[in-house]
Amino acid sequence: MSRTWIIVTEEKPVAALAAAARALGKTVAAVVVGPRALADAAALAGPDEVTWIDAGQDRGVEAFAAPVAGLIAGDAPKAVLAGASPESRVLAGRVAATMSASLVPGVLSLSMAEDRIVMDRSGLDGRVIETLEAAGPVVAIYAGDDIPAATERSGAGAAVTPLVAEGVADIVIEKTEPAAGADAGITKAQVVVSVGRGLRKKEDLSIIRDLASAVGGEIGCSMPVADDLGWVEKDRYVGRSGQHIAPRLYIAVGIQGAPQHLEGIRGARIVVGINNDPEAPIFKASDYGIVGDLYEVVPALLTALCN
Amino acid sequence: MKTVIVYKWARNPEDAAVRADGTVDWRNARMTAGEDDFAALEAARAIAPEGELIGLTIGDGDASWALARGVLQAVAVTDAAPLADNAATAAIIAAAIRRIGGVDAVVIGDSEEYSGVPVALAGLLGWPAVAHATSAEAAGGRIRVVRKQGRNDQTISLATPAVISIAAASPEKKVPGMKELLAARKRPITRQTLADIDAAGPDGVTTKGTRLPDGAAARLFDGDPANAARQLVAALRDEGVL
């Protein structure tokens, strides 16, 4: 029986990758690139077999793309799954090229229909679920959340087989240092109130500060507010290339909800959108929302919070 | 360092309308500059001097985008269509890069919707790659990039040839004016077809339809702001987040 492979470069989402691979009804084999501890953790998260490549300290994980591709392509699997991290994606790209496989990002689940792989993927910035069918082998970049590892497997993980990699690329990590703003309160805050272009002038930030203060939160902002307007410090910009935060409450005030902003708040537990445009994408990503003018809604919230 | 900046290689998801039944209407959406294309161009410029920078676009978008932003020459693969298989799209770009020849670095935006394209491109070329970098520069015959990883900035050095995908850290600051647009018209665009570059690969993936995501939409409070605010605060207190 051929295997379904998963590519692991970090602890999450290994259990979800293994479960999604198992849905195809085959042996699940993992290739882990990273430290031994990662391989051991992956072995407990659901795969039947683990091949471990020690990435060492200085090499980028991406340097091992060719040996990972050689290993997996040699097994000629029908499907391969990888996480969506940049490192995993680079490995997945090389695997797809080596196998002459299709490559599909944003995949949430896979199934078999006769001998074809059928995938549901999140498309158009999460606005639709698209069902796709691959005629040949497919490499899927998994975009779902992680799940707890299956309990029956806990304590009896898969065997870990080390592999000495050959054909390692010249990709060297020169240094790793805390990103600017990594210590900004926003990254650790339990409550964040962010403001976007709905704010008319810098002076009006005072009402956002008042709201943040009333809910015991930190101030954040969308990219234009920090970058174009310079109204809020850049280390408080929330988004794909800014801060990725996971507060228990995120209140987006006057923020439209561009995809790159939403990427920064994926870890938030409860999202509240406040916007005068009922069609603003922020509401699609929100648990609660108020459609209205922030200049009326924020003072009303301050009053309601006092009561 | 001969560098190719790949731009306007996909349709912008924001150009697609999603109907109430979950079907998608792309209307007449063309290949457009993605939100990371400008940042990718900036990074490419930091790697290569003006004379060594070549623009590459695929599909039916306006190829002058890069030429209006200081790139002196561009290649357009005009009959490339949007494909569901990211590896198939990458194969077209890879074929065009091979046809350009002697390329040391390829820089491309790291689009989330099509996040398989830059990495499949690297795989097909067989070149080292780093994805999701925020900046790049040439350094001693190599390429040095900075990437955000969790709460750290990682500085990574790669041998060439290499593929770098760039995530924008800020939007484009200054859109070209009439002067730049007119200058762009005088710059050469080499137009090619898929047949010219031997890139008629099939789309290995077919779409079977789209639907709206499951899950409840946001609970919206509207009408009188005071009333809406009271309801929201009550709901957040019930959730235990206030």
Side-chain angles (χ1 to χ4, degrees), chain A residues 62 87 89 102-103 120-121 124 127 129-131 133 170 172 174-175 177 179 182 227 240-242 248 266 269 286-289, chain B residues 13 16 36 85-86 110 112-113 142 144 147-149 151 153 155 157 159 168-170 173 206-209 211 219 221 239:
Chain A
E62 299 90 337
E87 295 95 329
R89 276 195 286 132
S102 297
L103 182 58
D120 272 355
R121 78 174 289 261
L124 303 181
R127 288 188 291 153
I129 304 291
E130 183 176 23
T131 302
E133 192 174 274
D170 185 355
V172 179
E174 291 188 339
K175 62 180 175 185
E177 54 193 1
D227 193 75
R240 185 150 73 114
S241 52
R248 70 167 187 262
R266 273 201 192 138
R269 202 183 121 211
S286 296
D287 300 282
Y288 297 97
Chain B
D36 301 298
D85 179 357
N86 280 200
D110 197 29
E112 199 196 2
E113 179 77 7
R142 298 169 64 88
R144 179 183 289 143
R147 176 173 64 200
K148 199 155 189 235
Q149 194 188 47
R151 298 174 62 195
D153 277 339
T155 304
S157 167
S170 61
K173 295 282 190 296
T206 49
T207 182
K208 309 305 272 185
R211 64 178 192 274
R219 195 172 147 202
F221 306 107
E239 290 272 8

Short mmCIF file of all heavy atoms in Angstrom, two decimals, chain A residues 62 87 89 102-103 120-121 124 127 129-131 133 170 172 174-175 177 179 182 227 240-242 248 266 269 286-289, chain B residues 13 16 36 85-86 110 112-113 142 144 147-149 151 153 155 157 159 168-170 173 206-209 211 219 221 239:
data_model
loop_
_atom_site.label_atom_id
_atom_site.label_comp_id
_atom_site.label_asym_id
_atom_site.label_seq_id
_atom_site.Cartn_x
_atom_site.Cartn_y
_atom_site.Cartn_z
N GLU A 62 14.87 25.32 4.36
CA GLU A 62 14.68 25.27 2.90
C GLU A 62 15.86 24.62 2.18
O GLU A 62 15.72 24.15 1.05
CB GLU A 62 14.49 26.68 2.34
CG GLU A 62 13.29 27.43 2.88
CD GLU A 62 13.62 28.24 4.13
OE1 GLU A 62 14.62 27.92 4.82
OE2 GLU A 62 12.88 29.19 4.42
N GLU A 87 8.75 27.93 5.22
CA GLU A 87 9.72 26.84 5.09
C GLU A 87 9.05 25.59 4.49
O GLU A 87 9.56 24.98 3.56
CB GLU A 87 10.33 26.48 6.45
CG GLU A 87 11.16 27.59 7.05
CD GLU A 87 10.38 28.44 8.02
OE1 GLU A 87 9.15 28.61 7.81
OE2 GLU A 87 10.98 28.96 8.97
N ARG A 89 6.39 25.43 2.76
CA ARG A 89 5.97 25.68 1.38
C ARG A 89 7.12 25.48 0.40
O ARG A 89 6.93 24.92 -0.69
CB ARG A 89 5.41 27.09 1.24
CG ARG A 89 3.96 27.20 1.62
CD ARG A 89 3.36 28.50 1.13
NE ARG A 89 3.79 29.64 1.90
CZ ARG A 89 4.24 30.78 1.36
NH1 ARG A 89 4.37 30.91 0.06
NH2 ARG A 89 4.59 31.79 2.13
N SER A 102 0.59 18.31 -9.15
CA SER A 102 -0.09 19.59 -9.01
C SER A 102 0.19 20.13 -7.61
O SER A 102 0.47 19.37 -6.69
CB SER A 102 -1.60 19.41 -9.19
OG SER A 102 -1.87 18.97 -10.50
N LEU A 103 0.10 21.44 -7.47
CA LEU A 103 0.32 22.07 -6.16
C LEU A 103 -0.87 22.99 -5.88
O LEU A 103 -1.18 23.87 -6.67
CB LEU A 103 1.62 22.87 -6.16
CG LEU A 103 2.00 23.54 -4.85
CD1 LEU A 103 2.14 22.53 -3.73
CD2 LEU A 103 3.31 24.32 -4.99
N ASP A 120 -11.08 20.31 -0.79
CA ASP A 120 -11.77 21.57 -0.51
C ASP A 120 -10.70 22.58 -0.12
O ASP A 120 -9.86 22.30 0.74
CB ASP A 120 -12.77 21.42 0.64
CG ASP A 120 -14.12 20.95 0.15
OD1 ASP A 120 -14.31 20.83 -1.09
OD2 ASP A 120 -14.99 20.68 0.99
N ARG A 121 -10.73 23.74 -0.76
CA ARG A 121 -9.76 24.76 -0.39
C ARG A 121 -10.46 26.08 -0.07
O ARG A 121 -11.54 26.36 -0.59
CB ARG A 121 -8.72 24.97 -1.49
CG ARG A 121 -9.17 25.80 -2.67
CD ARG A 121 -8.02 26.06 -3.63
NE ARG A 121 -7.06 26.99 -3.08
CZ ARG A 121 -7.02 28.30 -3.37
NH1 ARG A 121 -7.89 28.81 -4.20
NH2 ARG A 121 -6.10 29.07 -2.85
N LEU A 124 -10.27 32.96 -2.36
CA LEU A 124 -10.68 34.37 -2.39
C LEU A 124 -10.69 34.96 -1.00
O LEU A 124 -11.69 35.50 -0.53
CB LEU A 124 -12.06 34.51 -3.05
CG LEU A 124 -12.20 33.97 -4.47
CD1 LEU A 124 -13.60 34.21 -4.98
CD2 LEU A 124 -11.17 34.60 -5.39
N ARG A 127 -13.45 33.85 1.32
CA ARG A 127 -14.85 34.14 1.00
C ARG A 127 -15.59 32.93 0.44
O ARG A 127 -16.82 32.89 0.47
CB ARG A 127 -14.94 35.31 0.02
CG ARG A 127 -14.59 36.65 0.66
CD ARG A 127 -14.87 37.79 -0.29
NE ARG A 127 -13.96 37.78 -1.42
CZ ARG A 127 -14.26 38.29 -2.62
NH1 ARG A 127 -15.45 38.79 -2.84
NH2 ARG A 127 -13.36 38.27 -3.60
N ILE A 129 -15.43 28.40 -0.35
CA ILE A 129 -14.77 27.09 -0.33
C ILE A 129 -14.86 26.56 -1.76
O ILE A 129 -15.96 26.46 -2.32
CB ILE A 129 -15.47 26.11 0.63
CG1 ILE A 129 -15.57 26.70 2.04
CG2 ILE A 129 -14.75 24.77 0.62
CD1 ILE A 129 -14.28 26.83 2.77
N GLU A 130 -13.73 26.22 -2.32
CA GLU A 130 -13.69 25.72 -3.69
C GLU A 130 -13.37 24.23 -3.65
O GLU A 130 -12.46 23.81 -2.93
CB GLU A 130 -12.61 26.47 -4.47
CG GLU A 130 -12.53 26.10 -5.93
CD GLU A 130 -11.50 26.95 -6.69
OE1 GLU A 130 -10.57 27.48 -6.03
OE2 GLU A 130 -11.61 27.05 -7.92
N THR A 131 -14.13 23.45 -4.39
CA THR A 131 -13.84 22.02 -4.50
C THR A 131 -13.05 21.77 -5.78
O THR A 131 -13.46 22.20 -6.85
CB THR A 131 -15.14 21.20 -4.50
OG1 THR A 131 -15.87 21.50 -3.31
CG2 THR A 131 -14.85 19.71 -4.55
N GLU A 133 -10.51 18.96 -8.10
CA GLU A 133 -10.19 17.56 -8.35
C GLU A 133 -8.89 17.50 -9.13
O GLU A 133 -8.72 18.20 -10.12
CB GLU A 133 -11.33 16.92 -9.15
CG GLU A 133 -11.24 15.42 -9.21
CD GLU A 133 -12.48 14.83 -9.89
OE1 GLU A 133 -13.48 14.61 -9.20
OE2 GLU A 133 -12.43 14.63 -11.12
N ASP A 170 22.80 25.72 -0.44
CA ASP A 170 23.58 26.71 0.28
C ASP A 170 22.66 27.85 0.75
O ASP A 170 22.57 28.90 0.13
CB ASP A 170 24.68 27.24 -0.66
CG ASP A 170 25.63 28.18 0.05
OD1 ASP A 170 25.38 28.50 1.22
OD2 ASP A 170 26.62 28.60 -0.59
N VAL A 172 22.01 29.78 4.31
CA VAL A 172 22.60 29.89 5.64
C VAL A 172 21.86 30.95 6.46
O VAL A 172 21.59 32.05 5.97
CB VAL A 172 24.09 30.30 5.53
CG1 VAL A 172 24.72 30.43 6.91
CG2 VAL A 172 24.84 29.29 4.68
N GLU A 174 22.14 33.66 8.88
CA GLU A 174 23.24 34.49 9.40
C GLU A 174 22.98 34.96 10.81
O GLU A 174 23.86 34.98 11.65
CB GLU A 174 23.48 35.68 8.47
CG GLU A 174 24.07 35.27 7.12
CD GLU A 174 24.47 36.48 6.29
OE1 GLU A 174 23.97 37.59 6.56
OE2 GLU A 174 25.29 36.30 5.38
N LYS A 175 21.76 35.38 11.05
CA LYS A 175 21.44 35.79 12.42
C LYS A 175 19.93 35.78 12.64
O LYS A 175 19.15 35.89 11.68
CB LYS A 175 22.02 37.17 12.74
CG LYS A 175 21.50 38.28 11.89
CD LYS A 175 22.12 39.62 12.28
CE LYS A 175 21.66 40.69 11.31
NZ LYS A 175 22.25 41.98 11.49
N GLU A 177 17.29 37.69 15.32
CA GLU A 177 17.21 38.67 16.41
C GLU A 177 15.76 39.11 16.57
O GLU A 177 14.97 38.99 15.64
CB GLU A 177 18.11 39.88 16.11
CG GLU A 177 17.83 40.52 14.77
CD GLU A 177 18.92 41.49 14.35
OE1 GLU A 177 19.90 41.66 15.09
OE2 GLU A 177 18.77 42.09 13.28
N ALA A 179 12.45 40.88 16.39
CA ALA A 179 11.97 41.85 15.41
C ALA A 179 11.66 43.16 16.11
O ALA A 179 11.33 43.18 17.30
CB ALA A 179 10.72 41.31 14.73
N ALA A 182 8.90 43.57 18.75
CA ALA A 182 8.51 42.26 19.27
C ALA A 182 8.11 42.35 20.74
O ALA A 182 7.36 41.53 21.23
CB ALA A 182 9.66 41.27 19.10
N ASP A 227 1.79 53.26 8.39
CA ASP A 227 2.76 53.43 7.32
C ASP A 227 2.55 54.73 6.55
O ASP A 227 3.44 55.57 6.49
CB ASP A 227 2.67 52.22 6.38
CG ASP A 227 3.84 52.18 5.44
OD1 ASP A 227 4.93 51.82 5.90
OD2 ASP A 227 3.68 52.55 4.27
N ARG A 240 -0.20 40.94 7.99
CA ARG A 240 0.65 39.87 7.48
C ARG A 240 2.13 40.15 7.71
O ARG A 240 2.86 39.29 8.18
CB ARG A 240 0.40 39.68 5.99
CG ARG A 240 1.15 38.52 5.40
CD ARG A 240 0.37 37.94 4.26
NE ARG A 240 0.43 38.81 3.11
CZ ARG A 240 1.05 38.45 1.98
NH1 ARG A 240 1.65 37.29 1.88
NH2 ARG A 240 1.05 39.26 0.96
N SER A 241 2.58 41.35 7.35
CA SER A 241 3.99 41.66 7.53
C SER A 241 4.22 42.49 8.79
O SER A 241 5.32 42.92 9.05
CB SER A 241 4.53 42.39 6.30
OG SER A 241 3.70 43.49 6.00
N GLY A 242 3.16 42.69 9.59
CA GLY A 242 3.31 43.38 10.87
C GLY A 242 3.17 42.41 12.01
O GLY A 242 3.72 41.30 11.96
N ARG A 248 -7.59 37.74 23.45
CA ARG A 248 -8.91 37.11 23.63
C ARG A 248 -9.99 37.99 23.01
O ARG A 248 -11.05 37.50 22.63
CB ARG A 248 -9.18 36.82 25.10
CG ARG A 248 -9.42 38.02 25.97
CD ARG A 248 -9.99 37.65 27.35
NE ARG A 248 -10.34 38.85 28.06
CZ ARG A 248 -9.57 39.44 28.97
NH1 ARG A 248 -8.43 38.89 29.32
NH2 ARG A 248 -9.96 40.55 29.55
N ARG A 266 -5.55 36.14 13.03
CA ARG A 266 -6.11 34.79 12.98
C ARG A 266 -6.20 34.13 14.34
O ARG A 266 -7.05 33.30 14.59
CB ARG A 266 -5.28 33.93 12.04
CG ARG A 266 -5.74 34.05 10.64
CD ARG A 266 -5.29 32.88 9.81
NE ARG A 266 -5.52 33.21 8.42
CZ ARG A 266 -4.68 32.95 7.45
NH1 ARG A 266 -3.55 32.35 7.70
NH2 ARG A 266 -4.96 33.27 6.22
N ARG A 269 -9.41 35.38 19.68
CA ARG A 269 -10.55 34.53 20.03
C ARG A 269 -11.87 35.17 19.59
O ARG A 269 -12.65 34.56 18.89
CB ARG A 269 -10.56 34.28 21.54
CG ARG A 269 -11.34 33.05 21.92
CD ARG A 269 -11.40 32.85 23.42
NE ARG A 269 -12.79 32.84 23.84
CZ ARG A 269 -13.22 33.25 25.01
NH1 ARG A 269 -12.39 33.72 25.90
NH2 ARG A 269 -14.50 33.18 25.30
N SER A 286 -15.58 38.68 11.63
CA SER A 286 -15.92 39.08 12.99
C SER A 286 -16.91 38.13 13.62
O SER A 286 -17.71 37.48 12.94
CB SER A 286 -16.54 40.49 12.99
OG SER A 286 -15.62 41.44 12.53
N ASP A 287 -16.89 38.08 14.95
CA ASP A 287 -17.91 37.37 15.70
C ASP A 287 -19.09 38.30 15.98
O ASP A 287 -20.24 37.89 15.98
CB ASP A 287 -17.32 36.85 17.02
CG ASP A 287 -16.16 35.91 16.77
OD1 ASP A 287 -16.42 34.75 16.43
OD2 ASP A 287 -15.00 36.35 16.86
N TYR A 288 -18.75 39.56 16.25
CA TYR A 288 -19.76 40.57 16.52
C TYR A 288 -19.42 41.82 15.72
O TYR A 288 -18.25 42.04 15.39
CB TYR A 288 -19.81 40.94 18.01
CG TYR A 288 -20.18 39.78 18.90
CD1 TYR A 288 -19.20 39.03 19.54
CD2 TYR A 288 -21.52 39.44 19.09
CE1 TYR A 288 -19.54 37.96 20.35
CE2 TYR A 288 -21.86 38.37 19.90
CZ TYR A 288 -20.87 37.63 20.54
OH TYR A 288 -21.22 36.58 21.32
N GLY A 289 -20.44 42.61 15.46
CA GLY A 289 -20.15 43.84 14.74
C GLY A 289 -21.20 44.90 15.00
O GLY A 289 -22.34 44.58 15.36
N PRO B 13 -7.84 38.47 -6.07
CA PRO B 13 -9.07 37.92 -5.47
C PRO B 13 -10.12 39.00 -5.22
O PRO B 13 -11.32 38.71 -5.26
CB PRO B 13 -8.59 37.32 -4.15
CG PRO B 13 -7.14 37.04 -4.37
CD PRO B 13 -6.64 38.08 -5.33
N ALA B 16 -12.95 39.48 -7.74
CA ALA B 16 -13.98 38.45 -7.91
C ALA B 16 -15.18 38.79 -7.02
O ALA B 16 -15.02 39.11 -5.85
CB ALA B 16 -13.43 37.08 -7.53
N ASP B 36 1.63 42.35 -3.20
CA ASP B 36 3.05 42.19 -2.90
C ASP B 36 3.95 42.53 -4.09
O ASP B 36 5.17 42.50 -3.97
CB ASP B 36 3.33 40.76 -2.45
CG ASP B 36 2.51 40.39 -1.24
OD1 ASP B 36 2.70 41.04 -0.19
OD2 ASP B 36 1.67 39.49 -1.33
N ASP B 85 -4.10 25.05 -10.82
CA ASP B 85 -2.92 24.33 -10.35
C ASP B 85 -1.74 25.30 -10.26
O ASP B 85 -1.25 25.78 -11.28
CB ASP B 85 -2.63 23.19 -11.32
CG ASP B 85 -1.41 22.38 -10.93
OD1 ASP B 85 -0.74 22.73 -9.93
OD2 ASP B 85 -1.12 21.38 -11.63
N ASN B 86 -1.29 25.60 -9.05
CA ASN B 86 -0.19 26.55 -8.88
C ASN B 86 1.08 26.07 -9.55
O ASN B 86 1.90 26.87 -10.01
CB ASN B 86 0.09 26.78 -7.39
CG ASN B 86 -0.87 27.75 -6.73
OD1 ASN B 86 -0.58 28.30 -5.69
ND2 ASN B 86 -2.04 27.97 -7.34
N ASP B 110 4.69 37.23 -2.72
CA ASP B 110 4.27 36.01 -2.03
C ASP B 110 2.77 36.07 -1.76
O ASP B 110 2.33 36.20 -0.63
CB ASP B 110 5.06 35.86 -0.73
CG ASP B 110 4.97 34.44 -0.20
OD1 ASP B 110 4.81 33.51 -1.01
OD2 ASP B 110 5.05 34.26 1.02
N GLU B 112 -0.95 35.31 -0.96
CA GLU B 112 -1.52 34.25 -0.13
C GLU B 112 -2.45 33.35 -0.94
O GLU B 112 -2.46 32.14 -0.77
CB GLU B 112 -2.27 34.84 1.06
CG GLU B 112 -2.44 33.77 2.12
CD GLU B 112 -3.48 34.09 3.16
OE1 GLU B 112 -4.13 35.12 3.06
OE2 GLU B 112 -3.63 33.26 4.07
N GLU B 113 -3.21 33.93 -1.83
CA GLU B 113 -4.18 33.15 -2.61
C GLU B 113 -3.47 32.13 -3.50
O GLU B 113 -3.98 31.04 -3.74
CB GLU B 113 -5.01 34.11 -3.48
CG GLU B 113 -6.05 33.43 -4.36
CD GLU B 113 -7.29 33.00 -3.58
OE1 GLU B 113 -7.39 33.33 -2.40
OE2 GLU B 113 -8.14 32.31 -4.18
N ARG B 142 26.09 36.79 -3.38
CA ARG B 142 24.97 36.02 -2.85
C ARG B 142 23.79 36.96 -2.63
O ARG B 142 23.90 38.16 -2.87
CB ARG B 142 25.37 35.37 -1.50
CG ARG B 142 26.53 34.39 -1.63
CD ARG B 142 27.04 34.00 -0.26
NE ARG B 142 26.08 33.26 0.56
CZ ARG B 142 25.94 31.94 0.54
NH1 ARG B 142 26.69 31.21 -0.28
NH2 ARG B 142 25.06 31.34 1.32
N ARG B 144 21.06 38.25 0.25
CA ARG B 144 20.74 38.23 1.68
C ARG B 144 19.30 38.73 1.84
O ARG B 144 18.94 39.77 1.27
CB ARG B 144 21.71 39.13 2.44
CG ARG B 144 21.42 39.18 3.94
CD ARG B 144 22.36 40.14 4.63
NE ARG B 144 23.72 39.62 4.68
CZ ARG B 144 24.82 40.37 4.55
NH1 ARG B 144 24.71 41.67 4.34
NH2 ARG B 144 26.01 39.84 4.65
N ARG B 147 13.61 37.87 6.90
CA ARG B 147 12.26 37.30 7.00
C ARG B 147 11.81 37.35 8.45
O ARG B 147 12.59 37.09 9.36
CB ARG B 147 12.25 35.86 6.52
CG ARG B 147 10.89 35.24 6.71
CD ARG B 147 10.78 33.88 6.11
NE ARG B 147 11.67 32.92 6.76
CZ ARG B 147 12.05 31.80 6.21
NH1 ARG B 147 11.68 31.51 5.00
NH2 ARG B 147 12.83 30.97 6.86
N LYS B 148 10.55 37.65 8.63
CA LYS B 148 9.99 37.63 9.98
C LYS B 148 9.62 36.20 10.31
O LYS B 148 8.96 35.51 9.52
CB LYS B 148 8.74 38.52 10.00
CG LYS B 148 8.37 38.93 11.37
CD LYS B 148 7.57 40.23 11.34
CE LYS B 148 7.42 40.70 12.75
NZ LYS B 148 6.07 40.92 13.18
N GLN B 149 10.09 35.72 11.45
CA GLN B 149 9.71 34.37 11.86
C GLN B 149 9.26 34.45 13.30
O GLN B 149 10.07 34.63 14.21
CB GLN B 149 10.89 33.41 11.72
CG GLN B 149 10.44 31.98 11.80
CD GLN B 149 11.58 31.01 11.86
OE1 GLN B 149 12.51 31.21 12.62
NE2 GLN B 149 11.50 29.95 11.09
N ARG B 151 8.38 36.08 16.41
CA ARG B 151 8.69 37.42 16.91
C ARG B 151 10.13 37.81 16.58
O ARG B 151 10.65 38.78 17.11
CB ARG B 151 8.44 37.46 18.40
CG ARG B 151 6.96 37.18 18.71
CD ARG B 151 6.70 37.07 20.18
NE ARG B 151 7.01 38.30 20.86
CZ ARG B 151 7.15 38.39 22.18
NH1 ARG B 151 7.03 37.32 22.92
NH2 ARG B 151 7.41 39.54 22.74
N ASP B 153 13.35 38.49 13.62
CA ASP B 153 13.78 38.74 12.24
C ASP B 153 14.95 37.81 11.96
O ASP B 153 15.93 37.81 12.70
CB ASP B 153 14.24 40.20 12.08
CG ASP B 153 13.08 41.15 11.86
OD1 ASP B 153 12.00 40.68 11.45
OD2 ASP B 153 13.26 42.35 12.11
N THR B 155 17.90 36.74 9.33
CA THR B 155 18.67 37.16 8.16
C THR B 155 19.26 35.91 7.54
O THR B 155 19.97 35.14 8.20
CB THR B 155 19.78 38.14 8.55
OG1 THR B 155 19.19 39.24 9.23
CG2 THR B 155 20.52 38.64 7.33
N SER B 157 21.19 34.04 4.10
CA SER B 157 22.03 34.24 2.92
C SER B 157 21.90 33.04 1.99
O SER B 157 21.97 31.89 2.44
CB SER B 157 23.48 34.44 3.37
OG SER B 157 24.34 34.33 2.28
N ALA B 159 23.00 31.20 -1.87
CA ALA B 159 23.79 31.20 -3.10
C ALA B 159 22.83 31.43 -4.27
O ALA B 159 21.64 31.16 -4.18
CB ALA B 159 24.49 29.86 -3.25
N ALA B 168 4.74 42.05 1.27
CA ALA B 168 4.81 43.51 1.42
C ALA B 168 4.72 43.92 2.88
O ALA B 168 3.86 43.43 3.61
CB ALA B 168 3.69 44.18 0.63
N ALA B 169 5.62 44.82 3.27
CA ALA B 169 5.54 45.39 4.62
C ALA B 169 4.87 46.74 4.60
O ALA B 169 4.52 47.30 5.63
CB ALA B 169 6.93 45.50 5.24
N SER B 170 4.71 47.31 3.40
CA SER B 170 3.97 48.57 3.28
C SER B 170 3.47 48.68 1.84
O SER B 170 4.02 48.07 0.94
CB SER B 170 4.87 49.76 3.62
OG SER B 170 5.96 49.81 2.76
N LYS B 173 4.21 53.62 -2.21
CA LYS B 173 4.15 54.99 -1.70
C LYS B 173 3.76 56.00 -2.77
O LYS B 173 3.00 56.91 -2.53
CB LYS B 173 5.52 55.39 -1.12
CG LYS B 173 5.94 54.60 0.08
CD LYS B 173 5.22 55.09 1.33
CE LYS B 173 5.79 54.49 2.59
NZ LYS B 173 5.63 53.05 2.68
N THR B 206 -8.94 20.54 -11.74
CA THR B 206 -10.17 21.15 -12.26
C THR B 206 -11.05 21.57 -11.10
O THR B 206 -11.10 20.89 -10.07
CB THR B 206 -10.95 20.16 -13.15
OG1 THR B 206 -11.05 18.92 -12.44
CG2 THR B 206 -10.25 19.93 -14.46
N THR B 207 -11.73 22.68 -11.28
CA THR B 207 -12.61 23.14 -10.21
C THR B 207 -13.99 22.51 -10.40
O THR B 207 -14.51 22.43 -11.51
CB THR B 207 -12.68 24.69 -10.16
OG1 THR B 207 -13.53 25.05 -9.08
CG2 THR B 207 -13.20 25.28 -11.46
N LYS B 208 -14.54 22.04 -9.29
CA LYS B 208 -15.86 21.40 -9.34
C LYS B 208 -16.92 22.31 -8.76
O LYS B 208 -18.05 21.90 -8.53
CB LYS B 208 -15.85 20.08 -8.55
CG LYS B 208 -14.71 19.13 -8.92
CD LYS B 208 -14.67 18.82 -10.38
CE LYS B 208 -15.54 17.64 -10.75
NZ LYS B 208 -15.35 17.31 -12.20
N GLY B 209 -16.54 23.54 -8.46
CA GLY B 209 -17.52 24.50 -7.96
C GLY B 209 -17.08 25.15 -6.67
O GLY B 209 -16.11 24.73 -6.04
N ARG B 211 -18.59 27.22 -2.95
CA ARG B 211 -19.75 27.45 -2.07
C ARG B 211 -19.33 28.42 -0.98
O ARG B 211 -18.13 28.67 -0.79
CB ARG B 211 -20.25 26.14 -1.47
CG ARG B 211 -19.26 25.46 -0.56
CD ARG B 211 -19.83 24.18 0.04
NE ARG B 211 -19.00 23.68 1.11
CZ ARG B 211 -17.95 22.89 0.96
NH1 ARG B 211 -17.60 22.48 -0.25
NH2 ARG B 211 -17.25 22.48 2.00
N ARG B 219 -22.56 38.41 14.34
CA ARG B 219 -23.81 38.92 14.89
C ARG B 219 -23.72 40.43 14.86
O ARG B 219 -22.88 41.02 15.55
CB ARG B 219 -23.96 38.39 16.32
CG ARG B 219 -25.34 38.53 16.86
CD ARG B 219 -25.44 37.81 18.20
NE ARG B 219 -26.38 38.51 19.05
CZ ARG B 219 -26.39 38.42 20.36
NH1 ARG B 219 -25.50 37.67 20.98
NH2 ARG B 219 -27.30 39.06 21.06
N PHE B 221 -25.04 44.29 15.24
CA PHE B 221 -25.97 45.18 15.93
C PHE B 221 -26.00 46.48 15.14
O PHE B 221 -24.95 47.06 14.85
CB PHE B 221 -25.49 45.47 17.35
CG PHE B 221 -25.24 44.22 18.15
CD1 PHE B 221 -23.94 43.82 18.45
CD2 PHE B 221 -26.30 43.44 18.60
CE1 PHE B 221 -23.70 42.66 19.17
CE2 PHE B 221 -26.06 42.28 19.34
CZ PHE B 221 -24.76 41.89 19.62
N GLU B 239 -19.55 36.48 26.79
CA GLU B 239 -18.44 35.68 26.24
C GLU B 239 -17.28 35.58 27.23
O GLU B 239 -16.36 34.77 27.06
CB GLU B 239 -17.91 36.31 24.95
CG GLU B 239 -18.84 36.22 23.77
CD GLU B 239 -18.67 34.92 22.98
OE1 GLU B 239 -17.93 34.03 23.45
OE2 GLU B 239 -19.30 34.81 21.92
#
